[in-house]
Amino acid sequence: MTTKDKATQLHRKVNSFILSCVDEDGYPLTKAVVPGKHRDSLSELYFCTNTSSNFVAAISSNPKAAVYFYRQTLRWQGCTLKGNMEIVTDMSVKAKFWQGKFKGAYEQQAYTDPDFCVLKFTPTSGRYYANYTLEDFAL
């Protein structure tokens, strides 16, 4: 099994993701998010947040970002992906990632709410950790 395959398996199992980018002052900006409801591959990852968030403002200025996800079992597994984040404006994509549980967070209670934002992350490289070993891989 390749390192990318191991990272893909981990990506499909975990339910918490940490996103990081750089704010306008050059400092790291980090937030925890739940994954998008579709996790097809590591080539494109999607996350939902608020358009009004500091994170979206930072991504608007600098698309460089990192995503970290992990699983804490008897042996820790984790993966960091580096790449670029973009704000999705395609309404069909926003509709695809909308979930009913989001209704309480948005005035319009729908994917059409201007504060509902979908972020698309396209990684270029990754670092997978398991069994006290680091493995770098390209995407």
Side-chain angles (χ1 to χ4, degrees), residues 79-130:
C79 185
T80 299
L81 300 174
K82 289 195 277 186
N84 291 300
M85 189 83 68
E86 66 183 90
I87 299 162
V88 174
T89 56
D90 184 325
M91 293 305 275
S92 66
V93 175
K94 290 176 82 168
K96 178 179 176 180
F97 286 95
W98 176 259
Q99 297 181 49
K101 66 183 178 183
F102 296 159
K103 285 183 179 182
Y106 298 96
E107 188 176 321
Q108 292 183 8
Q109 298 186 345
Y111 69 91
T112 55
D113 190 296
D115 200 35
F116 177 64
C117 182
V118 174
L119 297 173
K120 175 185 172 185
F121 179 71
T122 306
T124 55
S125 65
R127 173 169 275 190
Y128 176 79
Y129 174 83

Side-chain angles (χ1 to χ4, degrees), residues 8 23 25 27 32 49-51 63-64 83 90 94 100 103 135:
T8 299
D23 72 11
D25 297 321
Y27 289 96
T49 190
N50 297 83
T51 306
K64 290 182 181 178
D90 184 325
K94 290 176 82 168
K103 285 183 179 182
E135 299 176 55

Side-chain angles (χ1 to χ4, degrees), residues 69-84:
F69 49 96
Y70 66 95
R71 181 174 171 207
Q72 187 175 358
T73 59
L74 292 176
R75 293 191 176 157
W76 189 279
Q77 291 176 284
C79 185
T80 299
L81 300 174
K82 289 195 277 186
N84 291 300

